[in-house]
Amino acid sequence: MIKGGPKKDLQGKQVQSILISQPKPETEKSPYFDLAKKFNVKLDFFPFIRVEGLPAKEFRKQKIDILNYTAVIFTSRNAVDHFFRICEEMKVKVSQDCKYFCITEAVALYLQKFILYRKRKVFYGADGSTKGVLEVMNKHKDNEKFLFPSADSQKKDIEEWLKTNKCEYATATLYRTVSNDVKELLATNKYDMIVFFSPYGVKSLFENVPGFEQNGTKIGAFGPTTSAAVEEAGLRLDVKAPAPQAPSMVAALEQFLATSNKK
């Protein structure tokens, strides 16, 4: 996996070990463990990135008054967590009339940790894509002032849409994404496949191993932005999710292993 040694065409090799670049599931009932047993593959879990919240003192430097905005855009659970964390630290009580636009239903439902869901105006895209939530926002854009909580290196497509449609908005940086140290893990384990779940994970790979060469290592990616990051990094993408017949990464891996590991 790491630069140095002759290149070999190992694309036909069976997959026996997979590195999932996320924390290990807390429950043994995770479908990942069923997958490992079914195909007799070794699964290791290790997050390539971690999220660090900006303290309220640093957020204040952005000079954003949260109460000036009538709608909040959430693209992840991290954004939800850190938005309400900042509100709590700054003793800001968000109006019950505030609208929430979420990229997926899962993110929308996650709001229940912080608000009385049934009494609030919560919207989400039908297909989990950026395009889907923008279509919903388009119906409200003339009457709302949008706040877009994000990471320090947030993908800018939503912000570009807000600019193009002349919406009143502010982008609030609430957290940053930091690479974890995975050098030793990759040096001591020769994984047949690495699975990524965000563009930041792909970036972390090359920050840890600048001379990384794919050779026969299979690469999996969840989400269109992650898939794009894999390909932009010059890597071959072998497993892509979600897909029509594979809505989850587990389903995509199962389909791939059923074919590639067939004797």
Side-chain angles (χ1 to χ4, degrees):
M1 285 197 306
I2 298 174
K3 189 175 182 179
K7 292 185 178 181
K8 296 181 181 180
D9 182 9
L10 301 174
Q11 292 188 34
K13 181 183 176 182
Q14 284 195 353
V15 172
Q16 298 177 322
S17 60
I18 303 174
L19 175 57
I20 306 293
S21 61
Q22 282 191 328
K24 185 177 180 179
E26 296 180 357
T27 171
E28 291 300 319
K29 294 181 179 180
S30 168
Y32 277 110
F33 299 125
D34 295 333
L35 183 79
K37 291 178 182 177
K38 181 175 181 178
F39 293 97
N40 192 29
V41 295
K42 176 189 176 186
L43 290 187
D44 283 348
F45 297 86
F46 197 94
F48 277 38
I49 58 174
R50 66 183 185 276
V51 171
E52 294 181 348
L54 268 66
K57 182 179 179 181
E58 192 169 339
F59 171 72
R60 286 191 180 95
K61 295 177 182 178
Q62 300 175 50
K63 297 181 179 179
I64 293 174
D65 185 348
I66 292 172
L67 296 180
N68 279 344
Y69 298 88
T70 61
V72 186
I73 305 165
F74 290 125
T75 57
S76 70
R77 294 183 180 184
N78 281 326
V80 175
D81 282 334
H82 289 286
F83 172 76
F84 286 101
R85 173 187 60 81
I86 284 289
C87 287
E88 183 176 355
E89 289 182 14
M90 297 179 65
K91 295 181 171 55
V92 172
K93 187 174 181 180
V94 181
S95 169
Q96 290 191 3
D97 294 325
C98 184
K99 294 179 181 177
Y100 300 95
F101 294 89
C102 305
I103 196 163
T104 64
E105 183 179 11
V107 173
L109 292 172
Y110 188 68
L111 281 168
Q112 293 177 102
K113 285 186 63 175
F114 304 95
I115 65 172
L116 294 174
Y117 190 84
R118 292 180 181 177
K119 294 186 177 182
R120 298 296 179 92
K121 298 173 182 178
V122 181
F123 307 87
Y124 53 86
D127 59 0
S129 69
T130 300
K131 181 181 177 181
V133 73
L134 292 179
E135 287 176 352
V136 177
M137 287 167 56
N138 191 56
K139 300 174 183 177
H140 300 265
K141 67 177 187 288
D142 296 332
N143 302 313
E144 305 298 336
K145 294 178 66 176
F146 295 96
L147 183 64
F148 181 28
S150 68
D152 54 346
S153 52
Q154 181 78 37
K155 186 174 170 58
K156 302 298 183 182
D157 48 359
I158 290 179
E159 193 169 357
E160 288 300 322
W161 183 90
L162 290 165
K163 286 181 182 177
T164 300
N165 286 275
K166 297 181 172 55
C167 297
E168 288 192 68
Y169 80 96
T171 300
T173 301
L174 303 182
Y175 57 99
R176 58 173 65 94
T177 304
V178 182
S179 293
N180 281 328
D181 188 346
V182 295
K183 298 183 187 68
E184 184 177 350
L185 178 71
L186 295 176
T188 56
N189 296 275
K190 305 301 180 182
Y191 293 102
D192 298 322
M193 177 183 285
I194 304 175
V195 180
F196 296 100
F197 295 84
S198 82
Y200 307 119
V202 180
K203 180 182 177 184
S204 175
L205 170 67
F206 285 95
E207 287 181 351
N208 278 275
V209 189
F212 178 84
E213 290 187 359
Q214 185 172 3
N215 293 334
T217 306
K218 306 293 191 300
I219 300 291
F222 186 84
T225 57
T226 309
S227 297
V230 167
E231 293 173 337
E232 287 168 7
L235 301 176
R236 183 190 67 254
L237 182 58
D238 300 284
V239 181
K240 185 176 180 180
Q245 303 303 318
S248 67
M249 179 49 71
V250 171
L253 288 172
E254 184 170 8
Q255 288 184 7
F256 181 83
L257 293 172
T259 302
S260 67
N261 285 13
K262 187 181 295 183
K263 295 183 179 180

